Every structure is written in C-alpha cells, then in structure tokens.
DNA sequence: TAAATCCCTAGTGTTTTACTAAGTATATAA
DNA sequence: TTATATACTTAGTAAAACACTAGGGATTTA
C-alpha cells in the first residue's frame, strides 16, 4: 500500500468531480483551477483513472469528465490504487532461507497491517466523503489532527 | 499522511526489534540481514527513530538497539511519522480566494480522510502486530489481499 | 589495545513527482 | 465549413525522494 501526494491529488480531483459533476461534465481546466493542480498532470492522473473506469471523458466543447460510476461505488482505495500502483513489499516469495521463519514473520505481519489499511480505505467511498462534508463547516480554518506531533522526545529527553 | 516504502522499512525494522529484543539489544547488522535492508540505510532510519525516542541505542560490543518504550506504547503512526515526515497537503491556508469555498471543501474533506487514516494506524501498536503473529501461521505463503485488483475495467469494457 | 557496535556526513545512481510543451482527435457552434 | 473547446497522447525535464555506498568518528566491551 502506498499513500503519497500523487494519490491525494487523485482523491482530491475525484472529490471535486463528485461535488461539481451533478449538472454536466467537469473540465480538467476547472479542476486544475479549483485544486491548484497543473492541467497536464491532471491529464496523466485521469488517464490512469480512465483506464480503471473510475471516470468517463466527454470530448468537444461542453465536454469534460463524469464519474465512471456512482460515488458510493468508488472507494478511496480504488482511486489510490489506480494512480499509485500497488507494490509488493516482501521479497521472500516462498523462499525457505528466511532465518527460521523470523524474517517472514515480520513480513507477514507487515502484510497483515498493509491489508488492514487497505480494507479500511476500501470501506470509505467518495459518497461518504461528500455526505460528510454536507453538515460540517466548509470554511478555510484548519486544525491539525490531535497527537500528530507526539513530542515525547522533549519529555523523555 | 504518507505511507511509502520508507515507512515500511521502518515498521518492519521495528517489528524485528520487538520480536528479537526480548533478551538483549538487537544489532542493525542483524536487522539488515533479517530484513534485507542495507545497513547504512537502516542507520539513517534509526537516526530518525532515535530522535523521536522510539528506539534506544547501546554502543560497544554486545550493543545494539532496544525499543524506546514498551511495544504497546508505540503506534504504527509513531513510526511512520518519525521517518516519513508528515506533509501538509492543502495550500489554501485560510485564504479567501478559494472559489466560493468549493476548493476548501474538497481540501477539508481530504483533511478529514487523512485524519481518519492517521487515527486508524495510531490505534495499532507494535504489540498488536506481535500478538497477532503469535497464533497465525508464520510460513512463507503469501496471499494477495482480496479485491485489490478490482478489474471492473475488464467487465465494463 | 583491539574489536564491535552505534553514530555521523557526504556523495550517488535510480525512480518518482509534478510539471512544460507540443501535439492529435473529436464534438460543438458560428 | 471553419474555428474552438475540450479530451487524449507523447516526450522531455527539474527537483525531490529513495535506497544505497563510502568513509569516517565515538563509545564500550574484552
């Protein structure tokens, strides 16, 4: 599982699409302007999204992009996997030379964790994110998630 | 939130430490050999982990690394944030020019998602992973998480 | 004193990221 | 029919990140 800025760009763009695609297609120019992502980069991202049928393009003036299917049938995992190719991490593919299973144990544990995280974002759909946004404040205030900088280092030092 | 191979290396190394650090410190050479990570790269990762007091180094022969605190008090989020520096994504920091709040809405939604994922891996401790490994099979068989390649593209095309 | 370990800094090839540029294809509208 | 607006495609590129090599120093044990 990989979760980098590239995936964020894709999720953000798809969100924009879900929010603004109610009445007619949304152009990449719009998304580019709305989200501050370069047009050509968006085109690359959407090439990947299109390949997975997550979006549908309409050419010509008045064209743009629609979601490829209903927003409640597109998971965050779908989006991220489309642009951020899933990479296998473990290298010991069935080999026996893994130090008495020790090495493979940590690898299996990582696989478990990786799968857990995947299943977690698999459960969150675009529609979830949209409906979540309905009731909350849409202002520009930002609050850092609590506990991100757990500076135990200061205390312990 | 960023979740790349670098973070995986760190989590894997910490898992190795949790598993093998019961009786005496674990050397980076051991981890390097166990997990197939270059020694010098491990040293860089551990410099970051040390800075956050997630590990404690013991110098000299017979030395190595201990966990900086109990395994149940180290979350996956702690580890990943230590090596994979949290990066802010949104660029509209309180600015008003965000197209009638539209842009900020998607950004806020992303922030929410990001926080959710963070809180999720915040809840998983090293001890959780270790205890999870106790009962299961430690063999080298690998099974791909179900539903990762959701090739709706084939069906829909 | 020698060796094993942590610790630190600098450099490096490769890949990824995010972008620019320059087109082609297709549908709409004048 | 022609111009335009869009999707689509390919190639190139600067900067960053990744994962590593190299070469040391500092500290502790034997």
């Amino acid at each position: 599982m990989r979760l980098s800025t590239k995936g964020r760009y894709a999720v953000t763009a798809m969100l924009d699409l879900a929010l603004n695609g109610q009445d007619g297609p949304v152009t990449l120019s719009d998304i580019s302007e709305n989200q501050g992502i370069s047009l050509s980069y968006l085109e690359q991202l959407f090439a990947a999204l299109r390949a997975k049928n997550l979006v549908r393009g309409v050419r010509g003036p008045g064209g743009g992009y629609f979601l490829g299917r209903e927003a409640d049938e597109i998971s965050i995992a779908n989006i991220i996997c489309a642009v951020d190719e899933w990479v296998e991490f473990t290298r010991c593919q069935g080999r026996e030379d893994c130090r008495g299973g020790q090495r493979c144990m940590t690898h299996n544990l990582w696989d478990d964790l990786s799968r857990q995280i995947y299943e977690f974002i698999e459960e969150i759909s675009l529609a979830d994110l949209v409906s979540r946004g309905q009731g909350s404040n849409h202002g520009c205030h930002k609050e850092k998630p609590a506990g991100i900088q757990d500076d135990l280092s200061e205390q312990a030092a």
Side-chain angles (χ1 to χ4, degrees), chain A residues 10 15 34 36 39 44 55 64 80 85 92 101 104 110 117 120 123 128 144 147:
Chain A
L15 258 172
N34 285 356
L39 182 57
Q44 284 174 41
V55 296
I80 289 176
E85 228 53 42
C92 57
C104 261
W110 170 263
I117 295 175
F120 177 71
E123 289 302 310
D128 289 335
K144 220 176 184 105

Side-chain angles (χ1 to χ4, degrees), chain A residues 3-132:
Chain A
L3 185 52
S4 63
T5 46
K6 192 176 178 186
R8 289 178 221 199
Y9 277 121
V11 171
T12 305
M14 289 289 283
L15 258 172
D16 195 283
L17 212 55
L19 288 169
N20 301 323
Q22 309 298 352
D23 23 49
V26 182
T27 69
L28 290 189
S29 301
D30 283 344
I31 299 180
S32 171
E33 202 182 324
N34 285 356
Q35 306 300 333
I37 310 170
S38 95
L39 182 57
S40 235
Y41 194 42
L42 274 177
E43 282 172 342
Q44 284 174 41
L45 294 179
F46 273 70
L49 296 171
R50 206 175 342 107
K52 295 283 182 182
N53 281 102
L54 295 177
V55 296
R56 180 168 51 88
V58 177
R59 300 219 252 200
Y65 277 98
F66 287 106
L67 291 181
R69 46 184 196 264
E70 295 303 311
D72 60 358
E73 286 176 357
I74 298 177
S75 72
I76 305 306
N78 289 154
I79 299 170
I80 289 176
C81 284
V83 299
D84 235 359
E85 228 53 42
W86 186 281
V87 281
E88 283 298 334
F89 180 56
T90 57
R91 299 166 180 170
C92 57
Q93 292 157 343
R95 281 193 277 118
E96 299 297 331
D97 62 342
C98 32
R99 214 180 120 109
Q102 199 72 268
R103 171 173 172 183
C104 261
M105 181 171 177
T106 56
H107 282 177
N108 283 343
L109 288 173
W110 170 263
D111 277 349
D112 285 347
L113 173 63
S114 194
R115 174 161 40 221
Q116 262 192 64
I117 295 175
Y118 178 86
E119 282 166 0
F120 177 71
I121 61 174
E122 166 90 290
E123 289 302 310
I124 305 175
S125 72
L126 265 189
D128 289 335
L129 288 186
V130 170
S131 66
R132 191 164 305 156

